[in-house]
Amino acid sequence: MTSITALPITDLAVQSHCPYCALQCGMLFGAGSPDLPASVMGDPHFPVNNGDLCIKGWTSTELLRHPKRLTSPLVRSRGELRTASWDAALDAVADAIIETRDAYGPDAVGLFGSGALSNEKAYLLGKFARVAVGTANIDYNGRFCMASGAAAGNRAFGIDRGLPFPLADIVDAEVILVVGGNPADTLPPVMQWFDRQKKAGGRLIVSDPRRTATARAADLHLQGTPGSDLALANGLLYLAIEEGLIDREYVADRTNGFDAARRSALAYHPAVVERRTGVSEADLRKAVRWLGSAKSAMILSGRGPEQQSKGVDTSQAYINLALALGLPGRPNSGWGTLTGQGNGQGGREHGQKADQLPGYRLIEVDAHREAVARVWEVDPASLPRKGLSAFEMLDSAGSVGGVRTLLVMGSNVAVASPDAGRIDQRLRSLDHLTVCDAFLNETGSLANVVLPVLQWAEEEGTMTNLEGRVIHRRRVARPPGGVRGDLEILRALADRLGCGPKFAFDDARSVFDELRRATAGAPADYSGITYERIDRERGVFWPCPGEGHPGTPRLFADRFAHPDGRARFLPVADRPAGEEPDDDYPFFFTTGRYKEHYNSGAQTRMVGPLVRARPRPIVLIHPTAAQRHRIVNGSRVTLESRRGRIEFQVEVTADVRPDTLFCPFHWGGEHAANRLTNPALDPISRMPEFKLAAVRIAAVEAGEGDPS
């Protein structure tokens, strides 16, 4: 078997992109040794970050020659992971897939992907699952990130692209409402656009239970109760109706279903909404007047309203408000979601999600199955149907009728999953677990086989950022000996499963060429995008149905993606969360991020400057609650939910509500916030309810002093 073709290392500065969030900031790498670039800086010519980088981007190359980097496969023997040859490790993985498939059927094999995977990897992983393995059970960690916003966008607009306009449009929006997002910490370089918007006279509204760095920059902060976002949105729509702010011409010409949404919203009198949310009627009126009177306005959603068991309906409620005000499709206006993961957008477009095929085709639609099957040269009937969502697949692990063998590529599910203690036990009950990663993380430590893989700077591929801009990651460093790329691993496994000819790609570009053909005519059409165009144009926006097509930076100017060209209102009603505080568990517990760390921390907890800046998670508690429990800065508290107990150090601050505790989720083990979170799922998106759980303070001890 020949290896995947590598790009040459040159002595010139190389343009590429950051390994972290969905901004995919442009970076310039200075010439150094072939093993490691001598320098890294923001690319001043890339139109997303304009030279800005956050602390994670500046320190990203520390991962490339890290002393804990895996450089040989590991195979579990006599209870321990031991170094093995690549052939032995790949044979063990293939044998496990074959044995499980023969004993229990193909759906007993599961594949778990990642929003960190390139478009080429996401595409090939989906094809591998359906063609080489024949399983329906493939999903990815984007189900924990973007699934609710994506489902709402598809329902309302007929298409899901996180931002249907470029980030640069933010500057000219007169008013922006950010709901449950903290881009100052999660997407730091994006704040340049908000800063310019403010300097141009624009206003920023932030709705968040916590006074975040973004909320501190706002002109108006709506500090609502966790889980009350849907009621807040319906209350704003009520006031827009009452105050005559509805764009009736837009509603009549471009939408369906307003009357039903209006009737539903009229149950949300401001007095009711004030009691439900804790946001004053005066602030509600101010927010809707600013939005409704502006010539241009945006509503941008973060994970706060989406990571709930009613996340799709909550997202829909804000879409209803945006449509009623006539925002989507207008210049410098609209509704969008601030995607988190590096390829969170492309990752869900190309087939690693249980219900989707490449190009955002749907696996349950026969015409979509036939279109992809033609490219793959298989019988459409041979393709499996929809499988289990991410949490449901993990929760089935090792059980009768569930997944018995699992391949995880680019995701640290032991830390990133809700009710993490339960998932830890499920992973331990598997017959076989394979993990592909560059470091031995919490998930890999439970594996039967660990395959060491190339990192972001050691291979090329494409990513799709939060705007729908397809960009090119270039190879800028030579990998250490002994590691292989994910594409090469999938091809080697396909060979062993008897499907080698269908995976005989020489490099990422040849995979992308097939992806282009597989997406032709689909909602996320990449057929007109080439590596050469991406390089020449600083990224190309999909849909791009031909090489002569300019790409589509802005959606919805003339029509929406439903067959009739009209957007859809849907009536949505508030309902209780999967778990609400009560006498036994009286606090809301909510999670989020530090700017120094990323997702499960599998990468950032390896980087010295980031660890020194944020060595451990700190729980935030309001002074009133702290006084009641005799807690001071630096105290150690044990928090307990119905699922687990974790001890944290405390910071006392008025940035959180008296009824709310906040903690970041970047750590595993004894610091794992997700051991407390609730796996209640949204009925449509199957998104777990990360953003609120009921907890109590079970113990308080004197701590190490002021955590600041």
Side-chain angles (χ1 to χ4, degrees), residues 193-267:
W193 301 108
F194 290 92
D195 291 343
R196 294 179 193 179
Q197 184 251 0
K198 293 288 291 296
K199 288 178 182 177
R203 288 167 164 166
L204 175 63
I205 308 165
V206 171
S207 173
D208 200 296
R210 185 165 59 105
R211 190 170 180 264
T212 64
T214 308
R216 284 193 288 273
D219 300 282
L220 178 62
H221 178 203
L222 310 177
Q223 194 169 13
T225 304
S228 67
D229 307 274
L230 200 162
L232 181 69
N234 278 354
L236 292 174
L237 181 54
Y238 176 105
L239 290 172
I241 296 167
E242 181 188 84
E243 301 211 0
L245 298 172
I246 305 302
D247 188 334
R248 297 195 177 278
E249 182 178 358
Y250 177 100
V251 168
D253 291 346
R254 303 206 58 191
T255 72
N256 292 324
F258 175 66
D259 285 344
R262 179 185 61 81
R263 288 193 298 271
S264 178
L266 289 178

Side-chain angles (χ1 to χ4, degrees), residues 10-14 29-31:
T10 72
D11 292 329
L12 302 176
V14 179
F29 296 87

